[in-house]
Amino acid sequence: MIQKILIANRGEIALRIVRACRELGIKSLAVYSEADAQSLHVQLADEAICIGPAKSADSYLRADRIIAAAELADVDAIHPGYGFLSENAKFAEQCESCNIKFIGPSANAIRMMGDKAVAKDTVKKAGVPIVPGSDGPIDKEADAVKLARKIGYPVIIKAVAGGGGRGMRIAHNDISFAKEFHVARNEAEKAFGNGAVYIEKYIEKPRHIEFQILADSHGKVIHLGERDCSVQRRHQKLIEESPSPFLTPDLRKRMGKASVKAAEACNYEGAGTIEYLVDAQGNFYFIEMNTRIQVEHPVTEEVTGIDLIKQQIKIANGERLEFDQSDITFTKHAIECRINAEDPARNFIPSPGTIGLYYAPGGHGVRVDSHAYSGYAIPPYYDSMIGKLICYGSTRKIALERAYRALSEYLIGGVKTTIPLQKAIMSDPTFMEGKATTAYMEDFFARTPSDLFNT
Ligand code: MV4
């Protein structure tokens, strides 16, 4: 029985896990870097141990120090949150070898889904649609052109060692293919020290839609619906919502079934997310599986009423899921706006500093997951996200209006934030009509005067 959990993370997700532990009557141990000594999760956890200097490489990424703290405080489990070591198979194994439960899937599932080629092969065998393309890396231009013709232009050339949008080139015909193929290989070699590339059918202006999965250790797997994460800037999600304004009930059912099959194919345990690209015709293609809880998990929590962090802990405790697929209802609409301490007037570079006046919005249908407070010094060493505003209601229109109202109330003095940008998006007709694809932000910035979100 898990009685004490070490939280191997920081910021709002560490606070989120402290809160879930508190409600479950489980003790929480916060680990923190010297830069986070005044962070809220340190103050609210039952116990706290400093594991090193500010730099993540010397603290939050130091598996040895985290496990030493776990042993010192005699914890039963470690919750990795997201980022840092949350998808590090070796760390998961180290926890298990020290008889500490890693709250997440097996190291094997992390490893399988962490290798893009193995992940695609695994889900393809389970009958999940993947983007048509080369079977792994392709290095002869003649073979590549032949395949490009077979797939049908346009095609996208991706670096094997790339990811997150880095090392991608698009070709529209044989002529451009020859050029882009070599450019992609040279850029990959320079950027990642690995020039291997693969090709796929290019999905034009796709939506990025992901499905939340929950799987217990007794073989039961269910899905908790989707999150539309198409509004991204430079591959960083800005807004996530559920349900997707684009999915039809039939498409939702088919994608939900595919997601459960993907999780079953890797003997998944815990909370996981299957990511897809969806084209304008409603074809969906697997891109990757995330073997961790995600930043945007509150969107699913507010739509389904299920506390995902508590579920992770219960599953790690060996408990059976207490619901069936038929019990999962999608009666609300939720929208999450990520609040980053970034300066829109300076191309959204991080804007660390000390928060002055701080007032979080509230009222019906408003949730704020944040570790910010008045007087908090935002450290410059970590991700610039300082909170998440989740607004929900019985319809998308209510959720949208509520988000705009809540953003208008949200006061964070002393630092620049993305609040003005979020307000501009919430009142943008294209977004309000549910027409945003992954091409939306580029189009938004091209047509929106910057003084609308630079205030
Ligand atoms: C694609 C694509 C279109 N066609 N693959 C970008 C990062 C990585 N997650 C996958 N990405 C894409 N892969 C094919 N075959 C378009 C993107 C893409 C994208 C995907 C999801 C969310 C935002 C995106 C922004 C630009 C491009």
Side-chain angles (χ1 to χ4, degrees):
M1 184 66 178
I2 294 174
Q3 293 172 323
K4 190 192 282 189
I5 293 175
L6 179 152
I7 300 159
N9 215 299
R10 64 176 300 281
E12 65 86 17
I13 192 63
L15 186 55
R16 172 75 187 82
I17 299 163
V18 166
R19 288 170 166 161
C21 289
R22 182 85 71 227
E23 292 182 12
L24 289 172
I26 292 174
K27 290 278 180 223
S28 53
L29 167 72
V31 291
Y32 63 96
S33 73
E34 290 161 6
D36 278 335
Q38 300 309 316
S39 178
L40 212 44
H41 77 285
V42 173
Q43 298 174 52
L44 294 184
D46 294 299
E47 298 171 34
I49 295 180
C50 182
I51 51 170
K55 268 175 61 188
S56 299
D58 299 329
S59 48
Y60 297 106
L61 290 172
R62 286 288 299 271
D64 57 334
R65 292 180 168 204
I66 291 167
I67 290 178
E71 307 223 316
L72 206 61
D74 191 21
V75 307
D76 308 293
I78 290 180
H79 195 308
Y82 51 66
F84 295 127
L85 297 171
S86 63
E87 296 187 294
N88 184 310
K90 189 159 174 291
F91 178 61
E93 275 167 351
Q94 285 169 317
C95 293
E96 298 300 327
S97 68
C98 295
N99 201 23
I100 298 168
K101 178 67 183 164
F102 176 80
I103 297 179
S106 65
N108 188 45
I110 296 174
R111 203 166 274 119
M112 269 173 85
M113 289 306 172
D115 177 319
K116 275 184 286 213
V118 170
K120 279 167 77 169
D121 197 42
T122 304
V123 304
K124 186 178 175 185
K125 287 195 177 101
V128 178
I130 62 169
V131 185
S134 59
D135 239 353
I138 194 157
D139 55 11
K140 288 195 180 58
E141 187 191 324
D143 298 343
V145 161
K146 218 179 289 171
L147 181 61
R149 285 179 191 149
K150 189 171 157 232
I151 295 172
Y153 288 108
V155 297
I156 187 169
I157 304 155
K158 292 183 171 180
V160 167
R166 293 174 307 155
M168 300 194 317
R169 306 289 297 194
I170 295 157
H172 292 271
N173 53 52
D174 285 356
I175 310 295
S176 71
F177 185 87
K179 174 175 144 289
E180 296 304 339
F181 183 71
H182 291 292
V183 167
R185 287 164 61 92
N186 293 338
E187 283 183 352
E189 187 56 50
K190 241 186 285 172
F192 317 114
N194 171 359
V197 295
Y198 60 100
I199 64 174
E200 290 180 347
K201 172 127 199 79
Y202 179 55
I203 314 294
E204 310 215 42
K205 298 187 176 180
R207 280 173 182 267
H208 176 127
I209 296 175
E210 58 189 33
F211 270 72
Q212 182 68 55
I213 279 292
L214 263 188
D216 66 17
S217 54
H218 307 275
K220 188 172 189 180
V221 185
I222 61 170
H223 76 82
L224 298 180
E226 81 275 7
R227 294 183 291 260
D228 191 322
C229 308
S230 302
V231 177
Q232 304 190 12
R233 177 180 175 276
R234 295 189 182 172
H235 305 289
Q236 296 299 315
K237 295 170 183 171
L238 276 175
I239 292 168
E240 304 98 343
E241 68 175 298
S242 180
S244 164
F246 183 73
L247 290 196
T248 60
D250 169 60
L251 187 47
R252 176 171 296 113
K253 197 167 168 143
R254 286 188 287 124
M255 291 179 79
K257 278 197 167 69
S259 304
V260 168
K261 284 196 291 188
E264 287 169 340
C266 63
N267 296 315
Y268 199 76
E269 177 184 320
T273 297
I274 323 283
E275 287 191 5
Y276 299 94
L277 292 179
V278 184
D279 70 15
Q281 291 69 42
N283 300 302
F284 62 96
Y285 307 97
F286 170 89
I287 27 176
E288 60 186 336
M289 179 172 188
N290 301 323
T291 56
R292 66 178 190 274
I293 194 74
Q294 300 206 194
V295 169
E296 58 268 27
H297 76 273
V299 164
T300 302
E301 292 188 324
E302 295 310 332
V303 168
T304 62
I306 293 169
D307 181 321
L308 286 172
I309 308 296
K310 285 188 184 175
Q311 289 303 318
Q312 285 186 293
I313 296 168
K314 288 164 179 263
I315 289 166
N317 244 341
E319 293 177 40
R320 291 176 179 278
L321 286 182
E322 67 235 59
F323 23 69
D324 296 328
Q325 190 64 62
S326 53
D327 300 321
I328 310 300
T329 56
F330 308 100
T331 54
K332 289 215 193 73
H333 196 106
I335 296 178
E336 176 180 86
C337 299
R338 295 192 187 196
I339 309 301
N340 301 335
E342 294 170 347
D343 187 349
R346 295 166 63 208
N347 204 18
F348 296 94
I349 60 165
S351 163
T354 299
I355 292 178
L357 178 66
Y358 182 79
Y359 177 79
H364 189 45
V366 176
R367 166 177 165 178
V368 174
D369 277 21
S370 174
H371 58 297
Y373 58 86
S374 193
Y376 174 55
I378 301 169
Y381 311 101
Y382 313 110
D383 186 87
S384 59
M385 190 178 79
I386 54 171
K388 302 165 338 193
L389 171 64
I390 303 99
C391 296
Y392 48 94
S394 50
T395 67
R396 183 171 192 265
K397 185 171 182 296
I398 291 171
L400 266 173
E401 288 162 355
R402 196 158 276 163
Y404 189 85
R405 186 265 298 166
L407 286 162
S408 306
E409 290 178 20
Y410 210 158
L411 295 178
I412 305 180
V415 293
K416 298 286 187 184
T417 72
T418 50
I419 291 172
L421 173 64
Q422 295 282 9
K423 279 180 73 176
I425 296 170
M426 286 302 125
S427 52
D428 176 63
T430 306
F431 180 76
M432 293 173 82
E433 290 158 15
K435 292 182 181 152
T437 69
T438 52
Y440 170 77
M441 280 316 295
E442 197 177 333
D443 169 64
F444 172 88
F445 285 122
R447 61 181 164 75
T448 306
S450 62
D451 56 9
L452 207 63
F453 50 83
N454 273 349
T455 44

